[in-house]
Structure formats: structure tokens, C-alpha cells
Amino acid sequence: MHKPTFMTLTRHILEGERMHPEATGELSALLHDLSLAAKVLSLEVNKAGLVDILGLTDQSNVHGETQKKLDIYAHDTLIRAMDHGGHLCVMASEEEEDIIHIPPHYKVGKYVLLFDPLDGSSNIDANISIGTIFSIYRRLSPEGTPGTLEDCLQPGDKQVAAGYIVYGSSTILVYSAGHGVHGFTLDPAFGEFILSHPDIRIPEKSNIYSINEGNYKYWHLGLKKYIKFLQDADNIRGEAYTARYIGSMVADIHRNMLYGGVYMYPSDIRSPNGKLRLMYECNPMAFIIEAAGGKATDGKQRILEIQPSSLHQRTPIFIGNASEVDKVHEFLETEILPD
Ligand code: P6P
């Protein structure tokens, strides 16, 4: 099929919708509303250095982390963009302890949206890439009623769509609705997301590993042995491994998905469940990476099979090339004695 060179996100979503006769267009409209929020956030993130919205607020979020002004701005922007479209019955955000109800005067829809409004926000003041992550489910509770916590606590393999926006050298929106992974770069000249990365597949070649090696002393032995293995080994193409760690999960995983590689935030002696959040960081990124041919586990099971028990629960994560994630498992499963 001839692929038009000027494929906008809106057109791509609508063409995806046409593949499903039963589609009502609600998911398309939801994704379109998300892309509008992404444009607004891109504008603010890219001028954050100029406008006084850098620096810390005097507030902290549910996790006790001091919120950056841009964190709160991104959270508020997403809610304002998404709460009145009539497609959602409930939302949940990293920045809000409880679920977020649709205001009573707005129509309630059939989808659920969970998001991390600004992942990697500790990097904001250093002008390092940061990102927004989103996860979409169909509701479980009866149509027309307010959404519930149970609507939000569904395993990741029930997602109908997921994606992220990276605010970096350019702003790119990557999403999957279950039919491939597609990347769209924002053309600021006329504010459109243009298809720049059709049908992303993670390359089998992988010589990048991403982990915070500053936590080495807290790692379990199997992980220590794996990282040592990487530092001594060559990959399947005889290339030495290289360490790349930005401190922004979205940026690290986006790079690894394009170049090949594995991102790890493991459990360790200090943090038995790791650091990253299951519902609005790991599940959507796992949905994307599996749709691109990769793998994402918690060191034992697929991220997408974890049955959630709370909105902000953490999980260890190993995500990237299937061969690399399998290799990690080999080391984690073998209790290896230190040298
Ligand atoms: P550490 C950002 O705070 C984040 O949630 C991810 O985006 C990032 O990969 C990780 O935490 C960085 O954590 O402990 O290595 O600084």
C-alpha cells in the first residue's frame, strides 16, 4: 500500500479506526485529545528555561517527592484536556493519590486513562529529555456510572492503547493501539504530529544496557554477575556493550527501542519492588515494547500479567530486546556465589 509522505497523527488514528468496523471513534477522539495536550506540554517544556516555571514548588506529591512546577503544570494540563471529551469514566495520575473523577457536568465515557504527566522531572532544570506516559483501558463498571478504582486496577495486557511523548531534541509521540508501534514527530511550524517512525520494531542487535550503576552495592548477586558479564562480553555481533543511562526512563527506553538494548530498574536490598510504578510507567512501556517485538518482565513474569493491587504500586522492570531480557533471567534465576 502506498504510504502517504504526509501522514498526520490524526489521519493515522482515523485510518486505524477504519480497520475496526465496530469502532465508535471514541478511542480515536481520546488519542486526538491526548495529542493536543502533548502539543501544549511540548511548548511549555521547551520554554521552561525562559519562563519562571522551573524550580521546586513548596508542595510534594503522594510519594513525598517535591513536585516541580512543570510536574504540576503537566498534571493539570492533561486533566483539563481530557476530562470533558466524554470518552473517559475515570483517570489516575502519578501526581494524585486517589482516582480522578470526571466532573458531574461532563459526559462519562467507556475508557480509563492513567498517566505519568512528566517522567524524569528531576532532569527538568538540566534541560535533559523528559516524557509523558499514558495507558488506556476499557472500563469494567457499568456504562454511565462514575468510574471506579477497579476500572484502573486492570492487568497491563488489558490495555487497549498506550504510549509516550518524549520532549527532547524534538517532541515525538509514540503509541500503539495493538497494531504495531508508530512514532510521530511534532512539526512546530504548524503544530502537527507527522509520522516519522512507522511500524517500529526493536532491532535484534543490542549492545546498550541502561541501569543506575550507582546502586551496585544494593544489587542482588545474580544482577551483579549479569552486569559483569555485559562488561566482559561482546554481543551477538561481536560488539562490546556500552552503558547509556539518562535518568529519564521514557528517553532511555525510546532510544533502546530504536537502537536495541535493555533498560533495568531492579529490586535491590533497599527497594524490594524497585522504584518504577506499575500502572502508569511499566505497563504502558511494556505494552509498547511487546508490540515492537521486545520483552518486559519483573525478573520473573511478564509485566503485563501482574495483577495490580494498588494504584501507585512499584515493580522491578527489565525491558528491551527479548534475547537480553532472557539473558538477565538466566543470571537472576541462578543463585551465583560471589567470586
Ligand atoms: P534513579 C525518573 O525519576 C525515573 O522515574 C525514571 O524516569 C528514571 O529512569 C529513574 O526514575 C531514575 O531513577 O534512581 O536512577 O535516579
Side-chain angles (χ1 to χ4, degrees):
M1 177 184 86
H2 167 67
K3 285 192 183 295
T5 50
F6 194 79
M7 173 64 80
T8 63
L9 174 60
T10 303
R11 181 170 170 186
H12 192 273
I13 293 169
L14 289 173
E15 292 200 354
E17 179 189 314
R18 287 195 203 109
M19 289 165 58
H20 298 271
E22 77 285 359
T24 62
E26 278 202 75
L27 180 61
S28 302
L30 200 171
L31 290 167
H32 180 266
D33 290 351
L34 265 173
S35 71
L36 290 179
K39 293 175 190 176
V40 172
L41 292 181
S42 176
L43 194 64
E44 289 307 319
V45 167
N46 286 312
K47 70 180 182 186
L50 304 174
V51 177
D52 179 31
I53 57 176
L54 287 181
L56 303 182
T57 65
D58 52 3
Q59 302 172 54
S60 58
N61 64 13
V62 294
H63 319 297
E65 296 156 348
T66 304
Q67 289 177 309
K68 300 268 186 180
K69 287 178 184 172
L70 218 43
D71 268 334
I72 293 180
Y73 177 82
H75 170 80
D76 292 344
T77 299
L78 280 158
I79 290 176
R80 279 201 314 272
M82 303 307 296
D83 68 359
H84 58 280
H87 318 302
L88 298 173
C89 65
V90 67
M91 288 187 266
S93 166
E94 177 176 47
E95 301 301 335
E96 189 82 49
E97 183 161 7
D98 299 319
I99 60 174
I100 301 160
H101 287 290
I102 302 304
H105 46 285
Y106 290 144
K107 176 176 171 288
V108 170
K110 65 182 180 185
Y111 290 108
V112 177
L113 174 68
L114 301 99
F115 56 87
D116 180 355
L118 215 52
D119 172 69
S121 53
S122 56
N123 290 307
I124 290 175
D125 297 353
N127 202 27
I128 292 168
S129 296
I130 52 183
T132 297
I133 312 172
F134 60 89
S135 169
I136 301 170
Y137 293 86
R138 226 173 249 97
R139 72 179 305 170
L140 301 174
S141 52
E143 297 278 335
T145 61
T148 64
L149 179 61
E150 288 66 36
D151 284 322
C152 297
L153 295 182
Q154 300 182 51
D157 57 14
K158 298 294 185 193
Q159 292 174 98
V160 294
Y164 58 83
I165 301 109
V166 181
Y167 310 103
S169 54
S170 59
T171 294
I172 183 166
L173 184 150
V174 174
Y175 89 102
S176 177
H179 302 282
V181 180
H182 312 284
F184 298 79
T185 300
L186 181 62
D187 185 328
F190 46 97
E192 275 291 354
F193 279 105
I194 307 297
L195 182 63
S196 52
H197 298 73
D199 299 314
I200 299 174
R201 302 288 296 171
I202 187 166
E204 246 330 286
K205 166 194 91 66
S206 156
N207 68 327
I208 295 173
Y209 70 95
S210 307
I211 190 167
N212 183 343
E213 301 201 39
N215 295 330
Y216 178 85
K217 56 183 175 293
Y218 304 114
W219 292 346
H220 300 300
L221 283 179
L223 183 65
K224 287 182 175 178
K225 290 292 181 182
Y226 172 65
I227 300 300
K228 183 79 176 69
F229 162 79
L230 291 182
Q231 290 165 347
D232 295 342
D234 286 341
N235 71 359
I236 51 176
R237 294 198 176 169
E239 298 161 322
Y241 282 84
T242 188
R244 290 286 182 274
Y245 191 71
I246 299 172
S248 276
M249 169 193 182
V250 181
D252 275 316
I253 294 179
H254 179 67
R255 180 208 51 241
N256 290 354
M257 189 165 65
L258 297 184
Y259 297 171
V262 59
Y263 170 94
M264 299 165 271
Y265 210 104
S267 71
D268 63 27
I269 297 170
R270 282 186 313 179
S271 318
N273 294 315
K275 171 183 183 184
L276 298 172
R277 312 291 176 170
L278 173 64
M279 295 313 298
Y280 39 75
E281 291 175 336
C282 297
N283 269 336
M285 298 311 281
F287 184 84
I288 290 285
I289 211 78
E290 287 199 0
K295 214 167 195 178
T297 75
D298 63 0
K300 295 187 179 73
Q301 65 179 320
R302 284 173 70 224
I303 292 287
L304 298 182
E305 287 171 354
I306 298 173
Q307 179 54 53
S309 54
S310 70
L311 205 48
H312 301 290
Q313 74 183 71
R314 302 173 192 267
T315 177
I317 183 167
F318 301 87
I319 181 169
N321 294 84
S323 56
E324 288 301 340
V325 174
D326 291 342
K327 177 65 77 178
V328 182
H329 279 228
E330 284 176 32
F331 283 85
L332 294 179
E333 284 152 13
T334 312
E335 190 47 44
I336 302 169
L337 297 178
D339 288 337

